[in-house]
Amino acid sequence: MNRLQGKTVAIVGLGLMGGSLALALRPHGGRLVAIDPDAATRQRALAQGVVADATADLTAGVLGADLVVLAAPVEAILELLPAVAAARPDGCIILDVGSTKQAIVAEMDRLPDSVQAVGGHPMCGKETAGLAAADPGLFAGQTFFLCRSSRTGADGGAMAEGLVAAVGAHAWWIEPAEHDRLVALVSHLPYFIAAALMAEAASAADVTGHVWRASAGGFKDTVRLAGSEPGMMAGIARTNRQAILAALHSYRDRLDELISLLEDGDDGALGTWLAARQDEYGRYRREKERD
Amino acid sequence: MNRLQGKTVAIVGLGLMGGSLALALRPHGGRLVAIDPDAATRQRALAQGVVADATADLTAGVLGADLVVLAAPVEAILELLPAVAAARPDGCIILDVGSTKQAIVAEMDRLPDSVQAVGGHPMCGKETAGLAAADPGLFAGQTFFLCRSSRTGADGGAMAEGLVAAVGAHAWWIEPAEHDRLVALVSHLPYFIAAALMAEAASAADVTGHVWRASAGGFKDTVRLAGSEPGMMAGIARTNRQAILAALHSYRDRLDELISLLEDGDDGALGTWLAARQDEYGRYRREKERD
């Protein structure tokens, strides 16, 4: 069953996420409206037929929408939630796709009960931002976290699941705190690790000038996330600071363990440690391929 | 000018590197011979026409070769160098493709002057090993380091450059110590960073069971190098320990700086730090695209 058939979906924010959602939803028969402050983005979206309508005015844009999707950085979502609720005293369903969930779901809990609100987070992305990077296949086969708030009714939950199915992702209902701990580990920690590697390599590049030329595919992949939008990542850090710090401290302990193995010169112990990592990598890849 | 035309090239070790070299050299008219201890690998290489001849016997395999390429882990290369020189009292040119260069070039310096020897290191690879993963396009457009030893004459240098050109890579002559410092930063450090991330995530996965399902493309790229062959990486660590430890200590300082920024809660300073990393990433990508 296609729950979006004949519905109006307003997408607030036509960046990589909002744009990719619009492209992925386009074949599913709903009417798509974009709300974005950037005139060039609105023009591009209309010219390319990404959405049927586009406006800079939140109140006008969400008018009559069955589902309002908030595709913005976390802190913008925190401000958009009460604004959308105020613009829709007649009620609507709100789904956000922000990167952390505890702060957002807490804000959803405070909304008037005229609206329904569901927390969401698709586990996909690129290090490039903006509508130009949007991709209708971005969500295919990926995990799409959903979090219930005290404003999530049966309709809201079903509508959120309908959107997840329409874009080809797998819905996974989860508690906000567990979500934030998991993404601190598998998403935010890799970003900060990559950012620190970028700092280290760029500092060396300033001295020798040969670093980039020597770098190859391994460096490229390991450092890729350092290209992420810093404002978005700072907002993630502000709303998930404790879990990120716990992951970073624990990661630093692993690094210290490795440094000790190298300093001790106990080659057997180092070999065993490295072999365990390759085993874990194999297990991880097999789990992902089975999904 | 094709310097390999009509020459016999013996490749010792038909793994990812040796196999890819053979496939990339095949169209260039030389006769290719493989020396590999694994019977199944030799059969596969012959059946697929990767090489004209294959043997497990080093002395027989290098007999009559104009160029002997050592495509093995670093410590195996250290043992192969005097063995090849002993097998060829009539002389030949030896090129290795090992991952560190100081220990290997020092060993080359000790060879009898009947042979010429050049240190080499193509900056490319995969986290998968073996002939099955070999790829003739592996070297295209990549940096291929070359190091002179006291056994590198004009013929040896020209032959090494000829091989680099034939496989589509860019030759870059470099001092062994500078090479080892550079690869500690752009190749070995990313590996150890990825291995520590693998340890951290796998440890969490043992507890919650949801980690892999939550992980997406960012995690996948950042952790990829943890799948590298541990024996090969342990040998790299043993022959480049000081440079790797220096890189790891400096990296840990960057991580500590980042942790302090997060702990201090100074959002402006954190945002500035993260924005600098995105700038550096942009600079790095532009440099690579210009290459």
Side-chain angles (χ1 to χ4, degrees), chain A residues 197 200-201 204-205 211 219, chain B residues 180-190 243 247:
Chain A
L197 175 60
E200 183 60 20
V211 173
F219 180 80
Chain B
D180 285 6
R181 272 195 306 273
L182 272 176
V183 296
L185 179 68
V186 299
S187 177
H188 310 160
L189 177 62

Side-chain angles (χ1 to χ4, degrees), chain A residues 123-124 127 142-143 145 171-172 174 178 182 185-186 189-206 208 210-230 233-234 237-238 241 244-252 254-256 258-259 261-267 270-271 273-275 277-278 280-281 283-285 287-288 291, chain B residues 123-124 127 142-143 145 171-172 174 178 182 185-186 189-206 208 210-230 233-234 237-238 241 244-252 254-256 258-259 261-267 270-271 273-275 277-278 280-281 283-285 287-288 291:
Chain A
M123 292 308 291
C124 50
E127 77 282 14
Q142 304 301 316
T143 293
F145 285 112
W172 178 6
I174 192 168
E178 192 192 351
L182 272 175
L185 179 68
V186 298
L189 177 61
Y191 165 71
F192 288 110
I193 286 173
L197 175 60
M198 192 74 248
E200 183 60 20
S203 159
D206 287 343
T208 80
H210 289 153
V211 173
W212 305 145
R213 199 171 148 205
S215 71
F219 180 80
K220 181 181 177 183
D221 280 0
T222 316
V223 87
R224 179 175 68 84
L225 292 179
S228 303
E229 216 285 297
M233 295 312 303
R238 278 190 290 270
R241 196 185 303 271
I244 290 170
L245 276 170
L248 274 168
H249 278 288
S250 185
Y251 176 76
R252 192 177 52 177
R254 303 276 172 196
L255 213 57
D256 284 344
L258 178 52
I259 288 172
L261 284 170
L262 278 159
E263 283 173 342
D264 292 349
D266 178 344
D267 293 329
L270 177 66
W273 196 92
L274 298 180
R277 306 296 79 83
Q278 190 194 36
E280 289 160 356
Y281 182 79
R283 238 190 303 153
Y284 147 67
R285 293 308 307 153
E287 289 272 343
K288 290 304 280 185
D291 267 3
Chain B
M123 292 307 291
C124 52
E127 77 281 16
Q142 304 301 317
T143 292
F145 286 113
W172 179 4
I174 191 168
E178 192 192 350
L182 272 176
L185 179 68
V186 299
L189 177 62
Y191 165 70
F192 288 110
I193 287 172
L197 175 60
M198 192 74 249
E200 183 61 20
S203 159
D206 287 344
T208 81
H210 289 152
V211 173
W212 304 144
R213 200 171 148 205
S215 72
F219 179 81
K220 181 182 177 183
D221 280 359
T222 316
V223 87
R224 178 175 69 83
L225 292 179
S228 303
E229 216 284 298
M233 296 311 302
R238 276 190 291 270
R241 195 185 306 270
I244 291 170
L245 276 170
L248 274 168
H249 277 289
S250 186
Y251 176 76
R252 191 177 54 179
R254 305 275 170 195
L255 212 57
D256 284 344
L258 179 53
I259 288 172
L261 285 170
L262 278 160
E263 282 173 342
D264 292 349
D266 179 344
D267 293 328
L270 178 66
W273 196 92
L274 298 180
R277 305 296 81 83
Q278 191 194 36
E280 290 160 353
Y281 182 80
R283 238 190 304 153
Y284 148 67
R285 292 309 306 155
E287 289 273 342
K288 291 305 279 185
D291 269 2

Side-chain angles (χ1 to χ4, degrees), chain A residues 116-182:
Chain A
Q116 290 200 33
V118 185
H121 182 204
M123 292 308 291
C124 50
K126 296 182 182 179
E127 77 282 14
T128 44
L131 178 59
D135 171 4
L138 192 65
F139 311 96
Q142 304 301 316
T143 293
F144 198 128
F145 285 112
L146 293 174
C147 296
R148 286 180 213 287
S149 71
S150 60
R151 291 287 164 273
T152 304
D155 288 357
M159 183 75 96
E161 287 178 353
L163 177 135
V164 171
V167 301
H170 304 300
W172 178 6
W173 290 95
I174 192 168
E175 289 299 315
E178 192 192 351
H179 168 276
D180 285 4
R181 272 196 306 273
L182 272 175

Side-chain angles (χ1 to χ4, degrees), chain B residues 3-33:
Chain B
R3 290 196 182 92
L4 300 175
Q5 190 75 47
K7 304 287 188 187
T8 295
V9 180
I11 299 176
V12 185
L14 266 194
L16 172 67
M17 275 296 153
S20 298
L21 276 173
L23 291 172
L25 291 174
R26 206 164 41 164
H28 291 272
R31 179 168 176 273
L32 299 174
V33 178

